Amino acid sequence: MMTELSIIIPCYHEEKNIDILYQELNTTLKTIEISYEIIFVDDGSKDKTYEKIERIAQNDDRVSGISFSRNFGHQIALLAGLEKAKGNMIITMDGDMQHPPKVIPQLISKFKEGYDIVNTQRIDDSSISFFKKQTSKWFYKIINRLSDIEVESLGADFRLMSRETVNAFLSIREHDRFTRGLVSWIGYKQGLIEYQAHPRHAGTSSYTTGRMLKLALNGITSMSSKPLRISLFFGLFFFASGILYSLFILYNYFTGSNVQGWTSILITILILGGIQLFILSIIGEYVSKIFNESKARPLYIIKKRTDTD
Ligand code: UDP
Ligand code: MG
């Protein structure tokens, strides 16, 4: 039988959330009478996440799970799920109940209005910290200023995609995957719905400030090469200032005024040194991307899976 809907759920240390999520999904999906599959992708959890998935999969053949050999990251887990999905409509959502299953019928009806991709935007409430709200706002400001594509702010990887757009997405083979940006990049007719964000059901967020920063940096450098151009502007600016300053020094030299120099030399060295390091680090960021892509390693390794085919 054909599967109409695939639901993909990346899970990292979600042992306390899987059961309730599965129940809520069932309750919701029963109301819309649709053939579906649920794919849990265990991203190398060290807790009982995969055992939970296995148990559910044993009793319900619409449920399957794969388990990575280690933690490869949320974005790669999403990819593995998308590669496995068979449905005509594919929904990705988090495994911690922050993306309420109740929103699924809305996603589907928006899709039926003729959209190829339905993205979601959370309505912020107190469950999201001030810090996360602010950093996320600034991240989207920066990425939209720097890259040519528009990434919806307050978005998450909670969306519905058609078969065709998933195939297009899967044709992108780059390693550093910023799913939100890539989905926007593939184009098609994209719609948006809003949902009320919920606090995590159990456990703590794996996106620590450090990981968020990494994702943000990755998002920016994989969607835009504009930061590389910063060096051009800095270079031009300091070249011009250098010429002006040299004229000033020459003037001093010829008028015989006392050149003390110490302060100006130090300031110049410090500023130039700082800028050079800054620019080197930007270049390094891109070089490391080239390095990663050129190794052409597989994007993930599956250690266990619930289905045998
Ligand atoms: N996740 C994952 N691999 C990771 C980190 C997170 O698969 O390395 C999953 C996690 O289980 C959850 C989703 O990605 O389903 C979002 O993660 P989290 O809830 O920790 O982030 P937040 O919602 O706080 O942004
Ligand atoms: Mg979460």
Side-chain angles (χ1 to χ4, degrees):
M1 204 180 79
M2 225 185 56
T3 313
E4 286 169 274
L5 174 68
S6 301
I7 296 175
I8 294 161
I9 308 166
C11 299
Y12 185 55
H13 297 162
E14 306 286 13
E15 60 178 5
K16 294 205 181 76
N17 297 321
I18 286 184
D19 287 329
I20 171 150
L21 177 59
Y22 170 66
Q23 277 163 23
E24 290 233 355
L25 277 173
N26 266 342
T27 317
T28 307
L29 293 168
K30 228 178 265 163
T31 62
I32 47 177
E33 289 188 1
I34 197 170
S35 61
Y36 65 89
E37 61 169 351
I38 301 175
I39 301 172
F40 287 102
V41 183
D42 164 35
D43 186 9
S45 308
K46 294 195 176 71
D47 64 359
K48 298 239 171 345
T49 299
Y50 186 67
E51 282 82 341
K52 288 257 157 141
I53 298 170
E54 259 184 332
R55 197 163 319 142
I56 297 174
Q58 271 163 15
N59 299 318
D60 184 345
D61 54 12
R62 290 168 303 193
V63 176
S64 65
I66 48 183
S67 178
F68 285 171
S69 58
R70 66 167 170 85
N71 180 237
F72 280 90
H74 180 202
Q75 306 291 307
I76 298 293
L78 282 170
L79 173 76
L82 288 172
E83 287 191 319
K84 190 173 183 318
K86 297 195 193 78
N88 265 332
M89 296 179 273
I90 293 108
I91 290 178
T92 53
M93 63 194 294
D94 284 0
D96 57 2
M97 297 294 287
Q98 285 194 292
H99 299 158
K102 286 194 188 76
V103 180
I104 290 177
Q106 278 164 264
L107 284 170
I108 294 176
S109 60
K110 188 88 182 172
F111 172 77
K112 296 217 161 122
E113 281 172 32
Y115 291 94
D116 300 297
I117 297 174
V118 185
N119 292 304
T120 62
Q121 194 166 42
R122 65 168 190 258
I123 304 168
D124 271 336
D125 65 0
S126 48
S127 73
I128 287 149
S129 73
F130 177 77
F131 177 72
K132 199 146 185 165
K133 277 182 203 166
Q134 289 302 316
T135 45
S136 131
K137 186 174 112 193
W138 279 100
F139 166 67
Y140 285 107
K141 271 207 174 126
I142 294 173
I143 197 160
N144 283 324
R145 171 74 51 97
L146 287 178
S147 69
D148 303 327
I149 55 129
E150 192 70 23
V151 186
E152 215 65 63
S153 65
L154 300 178
D157 289 307
F158 182 26
R159 71 170 65 76
L160 186 152
M161 299 173 79
S162 69
R163 178 78 261 162
E164 188 184 346
T165 60
V166 167
N167 289 346
F169 179 84
L170 292 177
S171 69
I172 305 171
R173 294 314 302 173
E174 57 192 64
H175 277 234
D176 286 321
R177 304 181 72 86
F178 180 59
T179 311
R180 261 158 263 181
L182 295 178
V183 167
S184 167
W185 182 86
I186 58 173
Y188 289 94
K189 191 171 174 204
Q190 308 208 1
L192 188 70
I193 62 167
E194 289 185 331
Y195 70 97
Q196 193 71 44
H198 282 304
R200 225 171 199 287
H201 174 70
T204 50
S205 168
S206 325
Y207 274 105
T208 54
T209 311
R211 274 184 101 153
M212 258 162 55
L213 205 65
K214 202 173 139 199
L215 182 73
L217 202 63
N218 236 329
I220 291 169
T221 50
S222 58
M223 299 313 293
S224 165
S225 53
K226 274 188 196 148
L228 280 173
R229 247 171 279 154
I230 289 175
S231 54
L232 180 70
F233 297 117
F234 270 124
L236 282 179
F237 176 74
F238 282 95
F239 182 60
S241 333
I243 288 185
L244 287 179
Y245 194 53
S246 316
L247 289 177
F248 172 69
I249 293 169
L250 281 176
Y251 172 78
N252 274 353
Y253 177 77
F254 284 117
T255 55
S257 55
N258 194 12
V259 179
Q260 295 187 330
W262 175 234
T263 330
S264 54
I265 287 179
L266 252 188
I267 290 176
T268 321
I269 290 179
L270 286 177
I271 293 182
L272 277 183
I275 284 170
Q276 280 169 349
L277 282 181
F278 173 66
I279 288 167
L280 268 181
S281 69
I282 293 179
I283 297 175
E285 206 43 54
Y286 285 92
V287 171
S288 80
K289 280 214 140 70
I290 300 173
F291 176 62
N292 276 338
E293 299 296 334
S294 68
K295 284 183 293 194
R297 287 192 188 150
L299 292 165
Y300 54 86
I301 296 167
I302 294 175
K303 191 170 75 177
K304 287 182 275 193
R305 54 197 323 148
T306 58
D307 47 3
T308 40
D309 51 293

